[in-house]
Amino acid sequence: MNDILLTVDPVVTINNEKILLIKRAKEPFMDKYSFPGGHVDLGDVDTKHACARELEEETGLLVNPEDLEFLVILDKLNRDPRQGRRISIVYKIDLPSEDLLRDCKADSDAKELVIKNIDELKPDDMAFDHYQVIEMLKKPTN
């Protein structure tokens, strides 16, 4: 199978210091942290809308797609061990407070939602190639 699958990954930070992650409930990478993303559907207006939809489906967090900021494309060969090639467009939104996440709940793809300090995450904590994004977030901004 040579399918190319387009996915989106929302990165939700809190004051650019903490990050919302899911703990995966299934393989691949069961019990590792990842972003709460998923596939772009044919009916999605664009990838920003797909990202906002996935974020709502996976966590219950509603965001305006226009508030999402493009971050990076993850497209290395074999970045995902499942069949087909997955190319992910990553968007970021920074929230001013954890209070905005108090009603969020993990969906079936996740065991739980967690909020972690970005600087405390290690490569072995993360699923897929998501640590690459964590490294980007750790870089000081000038």
Side-chain angles (χ1 to χ4, degrees), residues 32-49:
K32 297 286 186 178
Y33 299 123
S34 72
F35 306 124
H39 295 96
V40 175
D41 291 343
L42 289 176
D44 288 324
V45 173
D46 56 26
T47 55
K48 276 188 174 184
H49 283 79

Side-chain angles (χ1 to χ4, degrees), residues 5-128:
L5 304 162
L6 185 60
T7 64
V8 287
D9 285 311
V11 173
V12 179
T13 58
I14 301 100
N15 292 319
N16 290 309
E17 295 173 357
K18 295 181 179 181
I19 191 164
L20 175 70
L21 299 167
I22 64 168
K23 188 175 217 181
R24 290 186 52 83
K26 57 186 176 182
E27 295 293 350
F29 303 107
M30 188 176 353
D31 292 326
K32 297 286 186 178
Y33 299 123
S34 72
F35 306 124
H39 295 96
V40 175
D41 291 343
L42 289 176
D44 288 324
V45 173
D46 56 26
T47 55
K48 276 188 174 184
H49 283 79
C51 195
R53 175 186 53 75
E54 281 292 338
L55 184 60
E56 181 181 2
E57 287 176 6
E58 297 273 327
T59 70
L61 180 63
L62 247 99
V63 299
N64 181 339
E66 298 311 311
D67 291 337
L68 294 167
E69 172 187 326
F70 172 77
L71 195 57
V72 68
I73 294 174
L74 300 174
D75 64 350
K76 288 210 164 103
L77 190 60
N78 300 320
R79 61 175 292 271
D80 188 318
R82 294 172 289 190
Q83 194 163 11
R85 182 170 185 183
R86 285 171 173 76
I87 297 173
S88 185
I89 301 173
V90 182
Y91 290 97
K92 179 184 178 231
I93 187 165
D94 187 58
L95 303 177
S97 168
E98 282 183 47
D99 291 345
L100 298 170
L101 302 172
R102 72 175 168 265
D103 294 328
C104 292
K105 291 181 175 55
D107 189 26
S108 60
D109 288 349
K111 283 186 176 180
E112 64 180 311
L113 291 181
V114 295
I115 298 171
K116 294 283 189 181
N117 287 322
I118 293 169
D119 289 337
E120 293 176 2
L121 290 166
K122 307 284 184 259
D124 287 346
D125 296 335
M126 301 299 296
F128 307 103

